[in-house]
Amino acid sequence: EAADLGHPRAQRLLALTHDDECNCEKGYLHYITLAASNGDYKAGVSLGHSYIFAQHGLTKSYTLGKHYSDPEKYSTEAEEGNPRAAFNLSISLYHQVDERFEGIIEIPGYSPIPKSLFWARIAMKKGSTETAGIATNLISILENDAKSHCANCRKEAENSSLKRCVRCLGAWYCGKECQ
């Protein structure tokens, strides 16, 4: 009754009941979407995760995954740093640009790598063992790709000659002239 009256926490709990006990995807999606729309951060993160990994009959969408997992969209609960949301954001940011620009993830003046690394590091520090392990692998992949060439002039690195940006920790440059 509380869920039908619009209480977000009750909607989220009812969605989880539909998912665990009834195995009813339609009921789960109905109530989890209502809860997320009413500002329940945990529901938003769950819905974002479902979009990113195409669960519960949803079509894979990194855009919607990012939208529902974005901590800035919700209240102060998000400021504490939910590791699942951080993981969702990290993956979404990277793949969203990868899909939109056909595999070219470093566009002059914009790169998703620093933000993706930022969120992956939060997921690594605060997440469960499984989430931390996946986040660590993602960080390794992103860093190895980013440090293989200068973020500005795209010159290939020779024997680790590039300097890491101390502000974002996600870009590597030939030197001050390229930064």
Side-chain angles (χ1 to χ4, degrees):
E1 192 175 317
D4 290 330
L5 290 173
H7 296 284
R9 185 171 185 274
Q11 291 167 336
R12 177 174 42 89
L13 294 174
L14 189 56
L16 295 174
T17 302
H18 277 281
D19 189 35
D20 292 339
E21 295 175 13
C22 309
N23 222 5
C24 175
E25 288 182 347
K26 189 175 179 180
Y28 170 80
L29 288 174
H30 173 74
Y31 284 109
I32 205 75
T33 303
L34 282 175
S37 298
N38 285 321
D40 188 294
Y41 178 63
K42 290 179 182 176
V45 171
S46 292
L47 190 56
H49 194 80
S50 294
Y51 273 111
I52 291 168
F53 294 102
Q55 297 171 334
H56 304 290
L58 294 173
T59 303
K60 183 180 278 193
S61 172
Y62 294 112
T63 302
L64 289 172
K66 178 184 176 291
H67 170 76
Y68 283 108
S69 298
D70 194 348
E72 293 175 9
K73 184 179 185 307
Y74 297 96
S75 66
T76 55
E77 293 177 49
E79 293 173 11
E80 296 173 10
N82 181 312
R84 189 171 181 194
F87 178 73
N88 288 352
L89 279 169
S90 179
I91 288 179
S92 293
L93 286 166
Y94 178 77
H95 285 292
Q96 192 176 15
V97 172
D98 186 40
E99 283 180 354
R100 186 176 293 155
F101 299 108
E102 300 172 357
I104 302 170
I105 62 165
E106 290 194 58
I107 298 138
Y110 175 75
S111 172
I113 291 177
K115 280 187 180 179
S116 188
L117 282 168
F118 172 80
W119 289 112
R121 287 183 185 115
I122 288 176
M124 182 183 73
K125 289 177 187 171
K126 297 184 178 186
S128 65
T129 305
E130 181 183 357
T131 303
I134 297 169
T136 302
N137 288 341
L138 180 62
I139 290 168
S140 176
I141 291 166
L142 291 174
E143 284 185 345
N144 286 336
D145 181 50
K147 68 182 174 185
S148 67
H149 56 275
C150 175
N152 182 37
C153 71
R154 311 288 296 155
K155 181 180 172 186
E156 293 292 322
E158 297 173 10
N159 302 328
S160 304
S161 61
L162 300 178
K163 311 286 187 267
R164 187 178 200 171
C165 176
V166 294
R167 193 177 108 241
C168 73
L169 301 174
W172 282 258
Y173 298 100
C174 294
K176 287 185 179 185
E177 62 280 355
C178 279
Q179 191 175 8

Short mmCIF file of all heavy atoms in Angstrom, two decimals, residues 98-162:
data_model
loop_
_atom_site.label_atom_id
_atom_site.label_comp_id
_atom_site.label_asym_id
_atom_site.label_seq_id
_atom_site.Cartn_x
_atom_site.Cartn_y
_atom_site.Cartn_z
N ASP A 98 32.67 5.62 -26.48
CA ASP A 98 33.16 4.62 -27.42
C ASP A 98 32.10 4.33 -28.49
O ASP A 98 32.40 4.27 -29.68
CB ASP A 98 33.52 3.33 -26.66
CG ASP A 98 34.17 2.30 -27.54
OD1 ASP A 98 35.00 2.67 -28.40
OD2 ASP A 98 33.86 1.10 -27.37
N GLU A 99 30.85 4.16 -28.08
CA GLU A 99 29.76 3.90 -29.03
C GLU A 99 29.45 5.13 -29.87
O GLU A 99 29.26 5.04 -31.08
CB GLU A 99 28.49 3.50 -28.28
CG GLU A 99 28.50 2.08 -27.79
CD GLU A 99 27.21 1.73 -27.05
OE1 GLU A 99 26.36 2.61 -26.82
OE2 GLU A 99 27.06 0.55 -26.71
N ARG A 100 29.35 6.28 -29.24
CA ARG A 100 28.93 7.49 -29.93
C ARG A 100 29.92 7.91 -31.01
O ARG A 100 29.54 8.40 -32.07
CB ARG A 100 28.75 8.62 -28.94
CG ARG A 100 28.16 9.88 -29.58
CD ARG A 100 27.90 10.97 -28.57
NE ARG A 100 26.82 10.55 -27.68
CZ ARG A 100 26.67 11.01 -26.44
NH1 ARG A 100 27.52 11.87 -25.95
NH2 ARG A 100 25.67 10.59 -25.70
N PHE A 101 31.21 7.73 -30.75
CA PHE A 101 32.22 8.19 -31.68
C PHE A 101 32.97 7.04 -32.35
O PHE A 101 34.13 7.18 -32.73
CB PHE A 101 33.18 9.16 -30.99
CG PHE A 101 32.49 10.38 -30.47
CD1 PHE A 101 32.29 10.54 -29.10
CD2 PHE A 101 31.99 11.34 -31.32
CE1 PHE A 101 31.63 11.65 -28.61
CE2 PHE A 101 31.33 12.45 -30.84
CZ PHE A 101 31.14 12.61 -29.48
N GLU A 102 32.32 5.89 -32.45
CA GLU A 102 32.81 4.73 -33.20
C GLU A 102 34.22 4.30 -32.83
O GLU A 102 35.08 4.13 -33.68
CB GLU A 102 32.70 5.02 -34.70
CG GLU A 102 31.27 5.29 -35.13
CD GLU A 102 31.15 5.76 -36.56
OE1 GLU A 102 32.18 5.93 -37.23
OE2 GLU A 102 30.01 5.95 -36.99
N GLY A 103 34.45 4.15 -31.56
CA GLY A 103 35.72 3.62 -31.09
C GLY A 103 36.79 4.65 -30.81
O GLY A 103 37.84 4.32 -30.27
N ILE A 104 36.57 5.90 -31.18
CA ILE A 104 37.54 6.96 -30.92
C ILE A 104 37.17 7.57 -29.58
O ILE A 104 36.24 8.36 -29.48
CB ILE A 104 37.53 8.02 -32.03
CG1 ILE A 104 37.82 7.38 -33.37
CG2 ILE A 104 38.54 9.13 -31.71
CD1 ILE A 104 37.59 8.28 -34.55
N ILE A 105 37.87 7.18 -28.53
CA ILE A 105 37.47 7.65 -27.20
C ILE A 105 38.17 8.92 -26.76
O ILE A 105 37.76 9.53 -25.80
CB ILE A 105 37.65 6.56 -26.13
CG1 ILE A 105 39.10 6.17 -26.00
CG2 ILE A 105 36.76 5.39 -26.39
CD1 ILE A 105 39.39 5.40 -24.75
N GLU A 106 39.21 9.31 -27.48
CA GLU A 106 39.89 10.54 -27.09
C GLU A 106 39.70 11.57 -28.19
O GLU A 106 40.38 11.56 -29.20
CB GLU A 106 41.37 10.28 -26.83
CG GLU A 106 41.57 9.47 -25.57
CD GLU A 106 42.99 9.48 -25.11
OE1 GLU A 106 43.52 10.58 -24.86
OE2 GLU A 106 43.55 8.41 -25.00
N ILE A 107 38.76 12.44 -27.98
CA ILE A 107 38.45 13.49 -28.92
C ILE A 107 39.18 14.75 -28.45
O ILE A 107 39.18 15.03 -27.25
CB ILE A 107 36.92 13.71 -28.95
CG1 ILE A 107 36.27 12.42 -29.43
CG2 ILE A 107 36.53 14.88 -29.82
CD1 ILE A 107 35.07 12.06 -28.68
N PRO A 108 39.78 15.50 -29.37
CA PRO A 108 40.49 16.71 -28.93
C PRO A 108 39.59 17.60 -28.07
O PRO A 108 38.48 17.94 -28.46
CB PRO A 108 40.86 17.40 -30.25
CG PRO A 108 40.95 16.28 -31.24
CD PRO A 108 39.89 15.29 -30.81
N GLY A 109 40.06 17.91 -26.88
CA GLY A 109 39.31 18.75 -25.96
C GLY A 109 38.39 17.98 -25.04
O GLY A 109 37.83 18.54 -24.11
N TYR A 110 38.21 16.68 -25.29
CA TYR A 110 37.35 15.89 -24.42
C TYR A 110 37.82 14.44 -24.39
O TYR A 110 38.05 13.83 -25.43
CB TYR A 110 35.89 15.90 -24.90
CG TYR A 110 35.03 14.99 -24.06
CD1 TYR A 110 34.65 15.36 -22.78
CD2 TYR A 110 34.68 13.73 -24.51
CE1 TYR A 110 33.92 14.51 -21.99
CE2 TYR A 110 33.94 12.88 -23.72
CZ TYR A 110 33.55 13.27 -22.47
OH TYR A 110 32.83 12.43 -21.67
N SER A 111 37.94 13.91 -23.21
CA SER A 111 38.27 12.50 -23.04
C SER A 111 37.50 11.99 -21.83
O SER A 111 37.52 12.61 -20.77
CB SER A 111 39.76 12.32 -22.80
OG SER A 111 40.03 10.97 -22.45
N PRO A 112 36.84 10.84 -21.96
CA PRO A 112 36.11 10.28 -20.83
C PRO A 112 37.03 9.56 -19.84
O PRO A 112 36.60 9.19 -18.76
CB PRO A 112 35.16 9.28 -21.49
CG PRO A 112 35.94 8.79 -22.67
CD PRO A 112 36.68 10.02 -23.15
N ILE A 113 38.28 9.37 -20.21
CA ILE A 113 39.18 8.56 -19.39
C ILE A 113 39.40 9.12 -17.99
O ILE A 113 39.28 8.39 -17.01
CB ILE A 113 40.51 8.29 -20.13
CG1 ILE A 113 40.22 7.35 -21.31
CG2 ILE A 113 41.54 7.67 -19.21
CD1 ILE A 113 41.41 7.04 -22.18
N PRO A 114 39.70 10.42 -17.80
CA PRO A 114 39.89 10.90 -16.42
C PRO A 114 38.67 10.68 -15.52
O PRO A 114 38.81 10.22 -14.40
CB PRO A 114 40.21 12.39 -16.60
CG PRO A 114 40.82 12.48 -17.95
CD PRO A 114 40.07 11.47 -18.77
N LYS A 115 37.47 10.99 -16.02
CA LYS A 115 36.27 10.79 -15.20
C LYS A 115 36.00 9.31 -14.97
O LYS A 115 35.61 8.90 -13.89
CB LYS A 115 35.04 11.41 -15.89
CG LYS A 115 34.94 12.89 -15.69
CD LYS A 115 33.62 13.40 -16.25
CE LYS A 115 33.51 14.89 -16.06
NZ LYS A 115 32.27 15.41 -16.63
N SER A 116 36.21 8.51 -16.00
CA SER A 116 36.01 7.08 -15.86
C SER A 116 36.98 6.49 -14.82
O SER A 116 36.60 5.67 -13.99
CB SER A 116 36.19 6.39 -17.21
OG SER A 116 35.83 5.04 -17.16
N LEU A 117 38.22 6.93 -14.87
CA LEU A 117 39.22 6.48 -13.88
C LEU A 117 38.84 6.94 -12.47
O LEU A 117 38.99 6.19 -11.50
CB LEU A 117 40.61 7.00 -14.23
CG LEU A 117 41.34 6.24 -15.34
CD1 LEU A 117 42.57 7.00 -15.79
CD2 LEU A 117 41.71 4.85 -14.88
N PHE A 118 38.35 8.18 -12.34
CA PHE A 118 37.94 8.70 -11.05
C PHE A 118 36.88 7.79 -10.42
O PHE A 118 37.01 7.38 -9.26
CB PHE A 118 37.39 10.13 -11.22
CG PHE A 118 36.75 10.69 -9.98
CD1 PHE A 118 37.53 11.21 -8.97
CD2 PHE A 118 35.37 10.68 -9.83
CE1 PHE A 118 36.94 11.73 -7.82
CE2 PHE A 118 34.77 11.19 -8.68
CZ PHE A 118 35.56 11.72 -7.67
N TRP A 119 35.84 7.47 -11.18
CA TRP A 119 34.75 6.64 -10.64
C TRP A 119 35.21 5.20 -10.42
O TRP A 119 34.80 4.55 -9.45
CB TRP A 119 33.53 6.71 -11.55
CG TRP A 119 32.87 8.05 -11.47
CD1 TRP A 119 32.81 8.99 -12.44
CD2 TRP A 119 32.21 8.62 -10.33
NE1 TRP A 119 32.15 10.11 -11.98
CE2 TRP A 119 31.77 9.91 -10.70
CE3 TRP A 119 31.95 8.16 -9.05
CZ2 TRP A 119 31.08 10.74 -9.81
CZ3 TRP A 119 31.26 9.00 -8.17
CH2 TRP A 119 30.84 10.26 -8.56
N ALA A 120 36.08 4.69 -11.28
CA ALA A 120 36.59 3.32 -11.10
C ALA A 120 37.43 3.23 -9.82
O ALA A 120 37.37 2.23 -9.11
CB ALA A 120 37.41 2.89 -12.30
N ARG A 121 38.18 4.28 -9.51
CA ARG A 121 38.99 4.29 -8.28
C ARG A 121 38.10 4.29 -7.03
O ARG A 121 38.42 3.63 -6.04
CB ARG A 121 39.94 5.48 -8.27
CG ARG A 121 41.09 5.32 -9.25
CD ARG A 121 42.08 6.47 -9.19
NE ARG A 121 43.08 6.31 -10.22
CZ ARG A 121 43.24 7.13 -11.24
NH1 ARG A 121 42.49 8.21 -11.37
NH2 ARG A 121 44.18 6.91 -12.15
N ILE A 122 36.98 5.01 -7.09
CA ILE A 122 36.04 4.99 -5.96
C ILE A 122 35.45 3.60 -5.80
O ILE A 122 35.36 3.08 -4.69
CB ILE A 122 34.93 6.05 -6.15
CG1 ILE A 122 35.53 7.45 -5.93
CG2 ILE A 122 33.78 5.82 -5.17
CD1 ILE A 122 34.57 8.58 -6.17
N ALA A 123 35.06 2.98 -6.91
CA ALA A 123 34.51 1.62 -6.86
C ALA A 123 35.54 0.64 -6.31
O ALA A 123 35.21 -0.26 -5.54
CB ALA A 123 34.05 1.18 -8.25
N MET A 124 36.81 0.84 -6.68
CA MET A 124 37.87 -0.04 -6.21
C MET A 124 38.08 0.10 -4.70
O MET A 124 38.23 -0.88 -3.98
CB MET A 124 39.17 0.26 -6.95
CG MET A 124 40.33 -0.63 -6.56
SD MET A 124 41.86 -0.18 -7.37
CE MET A 124 42.28 1.33 -6.52
N LYS A 125 38.06 1.34 -4.21
CA LYS A 125 38.32 1.59 -2.79
C LYS A 125 37.16 1.17 -1.89
O LYS A 125 37.36 0.65 -0.80
CB LYS A 125 38.61 3.07 -2.55
CG LYS A 125 39.94 3.53 -3.08
CD LYS A 125 40.13 5.02 -2.88
CE LYS A 125 41.38 5.50 -3.58
NZ LYS A 125 41.48 6.96 -3.57
N LYS A 126 35.92 1.41 -2.33
CA LYS A 126 34.77 1.22 -1.45
C LYS A 126 33.92 0.00 -1.79
O LYS A 126 33.00 -0.32 -1.05
CB LYS A 126 33.88 2.47 -1.51
CG LYS A 126 34.56 3.71 -1.00
CD LYS A 126 33.62 4.88 -0.98
CE LYS A 126 34.32 6.10 -0.42
NZ LYS A 126 33.41 7.22 -0.24
N GLY A 127 34.24 -0.67 -2.88
CA GLY A 127 33.39 -1.77 -3.34
C GLY A 127 33.68 -3.11 -2.70
O GLY A 127 34.66 -3.28 -1.97
N SER A 128 32.81 -4.05 -2.98
CA SER A 128 33.01 -5.43 -2.54
C SER A 128 34.23 -5.99 -3.25
O SER A 128 34.77 -5.38 -4.17
CB SER A 128 31.77 -6.26 -2.87
OG SER A 128 31.63 -6.36 -4.29
N THR A 129 34.65 -7.17 -2.87
CA THR A 129 35.81 -7.79 -3.49
C THR A 129 35.62 -7.95 -4.99
O THR A 129 36.52 -7.66 -5.77
CB THR A 129 36.07 -9.17 -2.84
OG1 THR A 129 36.18 -8.99 -1.43
CG2 THR A 129 37.34 -9.80 -3.38
N GLU A 130 34.41 -8.37 -5.39
CA GLU A 130 34.13 -8.57 -6.81
C GLU A 130 34.16 -7.24 -7.57
O GLU A 130 34.81 -7.12 -8.60
CB GLU A 130 32.77 -9.23 -6.99
CG GLU A 130 32.41 -9.49 -8.44
CD GLU A 130 31.02 -10.07 -8.60
OE1 GLU A 130 30.34 -10.35 -7.59
OE2 GLU A 130 30.62 -10.25 -9.76
N THR A 131 33.47 -6.23 -7.05
CA THR A 131 33.44 -4.92 -7.69
C THR A 131 34.83 -4.32 -7.74
O THR A 131 35.24 -3.76 -8.76
CB THR A 131 32.48 -3.96 -6.95
OG1 THR A 131 31.18 -4.55 -6.90
CG2 THR A 131 32.39 -2.61 -7.62
N ALA A 132 35.57 -4.42 -6.65
CA ALA A 132 36.92 -3.87 -6.60
C ALA A 132 37.83 -4.56 -7.62
O ALA A 132 38.64 -3.90 -8.27
CB ALA A 132 37.50 -4.01 -5.20
N GLY A 133 37.68 -5.86 -7.77
CA GLY A 133 38.50 -6.60 -8.73
C GLY A 133 38.22 -6.18 -10.17
O GLY A 133 39.14 -5.95 -10.96
N ILE A 134 36.95 -6.03 -10.51
CA ILE A 134 36.59 -5.59 -11.86
C ILE A 134 37.04 -4.16 -12.09
O ILE A 134 37.55 -3.81 -13.16
CB ILE A 134 35.07 -5.75 -12.09
CG1 ILE A 134 34.67 -7.23 -12.01
CG2 ILE A 134 34.66 -5.18 -13.44
CD1 ILE A 134 33.18 -7.47 -11.97
N ALA A 135 36.86 -3.31 -11.08
CA ALA A 135 37.28 -1.91 -11.18
C ALA A 135 38.80 -1.82 -11.36
O ALA A 135 39.29 -1.01 -12.15
CB ALA A 135 36.83 -1.12 -9.96
N THR A 136 39.54 -2.66 -10.67
CA THR A 136 41.00 -2.67 -10.79
C THR A 136 41.40 -3.04 -12.22
O THR A 136 42.30 -2.42 -12.80
CB THR A 136 41.62 -3.66 -9.79
OG1 THR A 136 41.24 -3.27 -8.47
CG2 THR A 136 43.14 -3.69 -9.89
N ASN A 137 40.73 -4.03 -12.79
CA ASN A 137 41.02 -4.42 -14.19
C ASN A 137 40.70 -3.28 -15.15
O ASN A 137 41.45 -3.02 -16.08
CB ASN A 137 40.23 -5.67 -14.57
CG ASN A 137 40.76 -6.91 -13.91
OD1 ASN A 137 41.89 -6.94 -13.44
ND2 ASN A 137 39.94 -7.93 -13.85
N LEU A 138 39.58 -2.61 -14.92
CA LEU A 138 39.19 -1.48 -15.77
C LEU A 138 40.23 -0.36 -15.67
O LEU A 138 40.63 0.22 -16.69
CB LEU A 138 37.80 -0.96 -15.39
CG LEU A 138 37.28 0.21 -16.21
CD1 LEU A 138 37.13 -0.17 -17.68
CD2 LEU A 138 35.94 0.68 -15.65
N ILE A 139 40.68 -0.06 -14.47
CA ILE A 139 41.70 0.98 -14.27
C ILE A 139 42.96 0.62 -15.03
O ILE A 139 43.55 1.46 -15.72
CB ILE A 139 42.00 1.18 -12.77
CG1 ILE A 139 40.80 1.85 -12.08
CG2 ILE A 139 43.27 2.00 -12.56
CD1 ILE A 139 40.88 1.82 -10.56
N SER A 140 43.38 -0.63 -14.94
CA SER A 140 44.58 -1.09 -15.63
C SER A 140 44.45 -0.92 -17.14
O SER A 140 45.36 -0.42 -17.80
CB SER A 140 44.85 -2.55 -15.27
OG SER A 140 45.93 -3.04 -15.99
N ILE A 141 43.31 -1.31 -17.68
CA ILE A 141 43.08 -1.19 -19.13
C ILE A 141 43.09 0.28 -19.56
O ILE A 141 43.76 0.64 -20.53
CB ILE A 141 41.73 -1.86 -19.51
CG1 ILE A 141 41.83 -3.37 -19.36
CG2 ILE A 141 41.32 -1.48 -20.94
CD1 ILE A 141 40.49 -4.08 -19.40
N LEU A 142 42.37 1.12 -18.82
CA LEU A 142 42.30 2.54 -19.17
C LEU A 142 43.65 3.23 -19.06
O LEU A 142 44.04 4.00 -19.94
CB LEU A 142 41.27 3.26 -18.29
CG LEU A 142 39.81 2.90 -18.51
CD1 LEU A 142 38.94 3.59 -17.46
CD2 LEU A 142 39.36 3.28 -19.90
N GLU A 143 44.38 2.94 -17.99
CA GLU A 143 45.69 3.57 -17.80
C GLU A 143 46.69 3.12 -18.85
O GLU A 143 47.45 3.92 -19.38
CB GLU A 143 46.22 3.31 -16.40
CG GLU A 143 45.55 4.15 -15.34
CD GLU A 143 46.15 3.98 -13.96
OE1 GLU A 143 46.91 3.01 -13.72
OE2 GLU A 143 45.86 4.84 -13.10
N ASN A 144 46.70 1.83 -19.16
CA ASN A 144 47.63 1.33 -20.17
C ASN A 144 47.36 1.96 -21.53
O ASN A 144 48.30 2.29 -22.26
CB ASN A 144 47.58 -0.19 -20.27
CG ASN A 144 48.26 -0.85 -19.09
OD1 ASN A 144 49.12 -0.27 -18.45
ND2 ASN A 144 47.85 -2.08 -18.79
N ASP A 145 46.08 2.13 -21.86
CA ASP A 145 45.73 2.76 -23.13
C ASP A 145 46.13 4.24 -23.12
O ASP A 145 46.73 4.74 -24.06
CB ASP A 145 44.23 2.63 -23.40
CG ASP A 145 43.84 3.25 -24.72
OD1 ASP A 145 44.49 2.95 -25.74
OD2 ASP A 145 42.89 4.07 -24.73
N ALA A 146 45.81 4.94 -22.04
CA ALA A 146 46.06 6.38 -21.96
C ALA A 146 47.55 6.71 -21.92
O ALA A 146 47.98 7.71 -22.49
CB ALA A 146 45.36 6.98 -20.76
N LYS A 147 48.35 5.90 -21.24
CA LYS A 147 49.77 6.24 -21.11
C LYS A 147 50.61 5.75 -22.29
O LYS A 147 51.82 5.93 -22.30
CB LYS A 147 50.34 5.75 -19.78
CG LYS A 147 50.44 4.27 -19.61
CD LYS A 147 50.97 3.97 -18.21
CE LYS A 147 50.95 2.49 -17.92
NZ LYS A 147 51.34 2.21 -16.56
N SER A 148 49.98 5.19 -23.29
CA SER A 148 50.73 4.72 -24.46
C SER A 148 51.03 5.85 -25.44
O SER A 148 51.81 5.68 -26.37
CB SER A 148 49.96 3.61 -25.17
OG SER A 148 48.77 4.12 -25.74
N HIS A 149 50.37 7.03 -25.25
CA HIS A 149 50.58 8.16 -26.15
C HIS A 149 50.21 9.47 -25.44
O HIS A 149 49.49 9.47 -24.47
CB HIS A 149 49.72 7.99 -27.41
CG HIS A 149 48.27 7.83 -27.09
ND1 HIS A 149 47.73 6.61 -26.79
CD2 HIS A 149 47.27 8.72 -26.98
CE1 HIS A 149 46.44 6.76 -26.51
NE2 HIS A 149 46.14 8.04 -26.62
N CYS A 150 50.74 10.56 -25.99
CA CYS A 150 50.46 11.88 -25.43
C CYS A 150 48.99 12.23 -25.68
O CYS A 150 48.47 12.04 -26.78
CB CYS A 150 51.36 12.92 -26.09
SG CYS A 150 51.02 14.63 -25.58
N ALA A 151 48.31 12.74 -24.66
CA ALA A 151 46.90 13.09 -24.78
C ALA A 151 46.67 14.28 -25.71
O ALA A 151 45.57 14.46 -26.20
CB ALA A 151 46.32 13.39 -23.40
N ASN A 152 47.70 15.07 -25.97
CA ASN A 152 47.54 16.24 -26.82
C ASN A 152 47.99 15.96 -28.26
O ASN A 152 47.20 16.03 -29.18
CB ASN A 152 48.30 17.43 -26.24
CG ASN A 152 48.12 18.68 -27.06
OD1 ASN A 152 47.05 18.94 -27.57
ND2 ASN A 152 49.18 19.46 -27.19
N CYS A 153 49.25 15.64 -28.44
CA CYS A 153 49.78 15.48 -29.79
C CYS A 153 49.70 14.05 -30.32
O CYS A 153 50.02 13.81 -31.48
CB CYS A 153 51.23 15.99 -29.84
SG CYS A 153 52.41 14.94 -28.97
N ARG A 154 49.29 13.11 -29.46
CA ARG A 154 49.10 11.70 -29.82
C ARG A 154 50.41 10.97 -30.15
O ARG A 154 50.40 9.88 -30.69
CB ARG A 154 48.12 11.54 -30.98
CG ARG A 154 46.82 12.28 -30.86
CD ARG A 154 45.86 11.73 -29.86
NE ARG A 154 45.43 10.41 -30.24
CZ ARG A 154 44.99 9.50 -29.40
NH1 ARG A 154 44.90 9.78 -28.14
NH2 ARG A 154 44.63 8.31 -29.79
N LYS A 155 51.56 11.58 -29.82
CA LYS A 155 52.85 10.95 -30.06
C LYS A 155 52.97 9.71 -29.18
O LYS A 155 52.62 9.74 -28.00
CB LYS A 155 53.97 11.95 -29.75
CG LYS A 155 55.36 11.41 -29.98
CD LYS A 155 56.40 12.47 -29.63
CE LYS A 155 57.79 11.89 -29.67
NZ LYS A 155 58.79 12.85 -29.19
N GLU A 156 53.44 8.62 -29.77
CA GLU A 156 53.61 7.36 -29.02
C GLU A 156 54.67 7.52 -27.94
O GLU A 156 55.68 8.20 -28.14
CB GLU A 156 54.02 6.23 -29.97
CG GLU A 156 52.94 5.83 -30.96
CD GLU A 156 51.74 5.17 -30.30
OE1 GLU A 156 51.93 4.39 -29.35
OE2 GLU A 156 50.62 5.45 -30.75
N ALA A 157 54.44 6.87 -26.81
CA ALA A 157 55.39 6.92 -25.69
C ALA A 157 56.61 6.08 -26.01
O ALA A 157 56.51 5.00 -26.57
CB ALA A 157 54.73 6.41 -24.42
N GLU A 158 57.76 6.61 -25.62
CA GLU A 158 59.01 5.88 -25.80
C GLU A 158 59.63 5.64 -24.43
O GLU A 158 60.04 6.58 -23.76
CB GLU A 158 59.97 6.69 -26.68
CG GLU A 158 59.45 6.91 -28.09
CD GLU A 158 60.36 7.85 -28.87
OE1 GLU A 158 61.47 8.17 -28.40
OE2 GLU A 158 59.93 8.27 -29.95
N ASN A 159 59.66 4.41 -23.99
CA ASN A 159 60.26 4.04 -22.71
C ASN A 159 59.72 4.85 -21.54
O ASN A 159 60.47 5.42 -20.75
CB ASN A 159 61.79 4.17 -22.76
CG ASN A 159 62.39 3.30 -23.84
OD1 ASN A 159 61.85 2.23 -24.15
ND2 ASN A 159 63.47 3.76 -24.43
N SER A 160 58.43 4.96 -21.42
CA SER A 160 57.76 5.67 -20.32
C SER A 160 58.20 7.12 -20.20
O SER A 160 58.41 7.63 -19.10
CB SER A 160 57.99 4.94 -18.99
OG SER A 160 57.57 3.62 -19.08
N SER A 161 58.37 7.80 -21.32
CA SER A 161 58.85 9.17 -21.29
C SER A 161 57.74 10.19 -21.03
O SER A 161 58.03 11.37 -20.87
CB SER A 161 59.55 9.50 -22.61
OG SER A 161 58.63 9.37 -23.68
N LEU A 162 56.50 9.78 -20.96
CA LEU A 162 55.40 10.70 -20.75
C LEU A 162 55.22 11.05 -19.28
O LEU A 162 55.51 10.24 -18.41
CB LEU A 162 54.10 10.11 -21.31
CG LEU A 162 54.09 9.80 -22.80
CD1 LEU A 162 52.77 9.17 -23.21
CD2 LEU A 162 54.36 11.04 -23.63
#
